Amino acid sequence: MKHKNKKNIPCPIGPYSQSILIEKFLLISGQIANEINEKKIPEDIEQQTEIILKKIKIILKQSNFEVKNIIKTSIFMTNLTEINKVNKIYESFFTKNFITNFPTRSCVEVSSLPKNSKIEIETMAYKK
């Protein structure tokens, strides 16, 4: 089991690993839209979703995985009425990466997220 914190991604904001590689599985901790050198998370849920998916793609790449290796995502949102906005960005992310079979997914509403984020996404990937 390898614990990894990736370059060009903000360090975790708590006592946890950004990702863990276990044999052929890469588990990526929940990502929020904080970026290196940015003081504030964007208010817009679409921007937050785009930043998070970009971070996930970087973590995958630095672990020698690709978007096509994602098998499961878990989405946490503070307001599920914004799910259509998230779905639009989410679908575009996967189709831009030539994915036609989307990974399994759960999506739940939570009362709050770190740094007043509107969305957090965690990911599991598998590579044969």
Side-chain angles (χ1 to χ4, degrees):
M1 177 170 31
K2 294 181 184 177
H3 298 260
K4 300 202 171 207
N5 287 330
K6 302 301 178 190
K7 299 174 190 168
N8 303 320
I9 302 285
C11 290
I13 60 174
Y16 58 88
S17 296
Q18 201 171 61
S19 65
I20 296 177
L21 180 64
I22 304 172
E23 296 178 16
K24 297 178 180 188
F25 288 94
L26 180 66
L27 307 170
I28 300 174
S29 293
Q31 299 296 308
I32 58 173
N34 61 330
E35 293 191 274
I36 292 177
N37 301 324
E38 292 296 322
K39 305 256 188 241
K40 194 173 180 187
I41 292 175
E43 291 289 323
D44 183 79
I45 195 159
E46 290 100 331
Q47 285 181 299
Q48 287 188 28
T49 305
E50 288 173 356
I51 291 167
I52 292 166
L53 292 172
K54 180 178 85 173
K55 287 172 59 177
I56 289 169
K57 188 172 181 178
I58 290 168
I59 294 168
L60 287 165
K61 184 176 180 180
Q62 290 182 6
S63 298
N64 296 316
F65 280 72
E66 299 177 43
V67 173
K68 71 179 183 179
N69 298 122
I70 296 173
I71 58 172
K72 171 82 168 94
T73 61
S74 297
I75 300 176
F76 307 93
M77 297 176 60
T78 58
N79 184 352
L80 275 177
T81 63
E82 296 190 290
I83 189 65
N84 290 335
K85 295 175 184 178
V86 171
N87 280 340
K88 189 175 181 181
I89 303 300
Y90 186 92
E91 181 178 12
S92 175
F93 172 76
F94 283 99
T95 56
K96 282 181 183 173
N97 287 284
F98 309 105
I99 308 301
T100 54
N101 293 323
F102 297 103
T104 62
R105 180 178 99 173
S106 57
C107 184
V108 294
E109 184 172 288
V110 296
S111 62
S112 65
L113 289 166
K115 299 190 179 255
N116 293 320
S117 299
K118 293 183 176 187
I119 183 170
E120 179 175 336
I121 303 174
E122 65 181 28
T123 311
M124 180 188 300
Y126 174 79
K127 187 166 61 171
K128 295 179 183 178

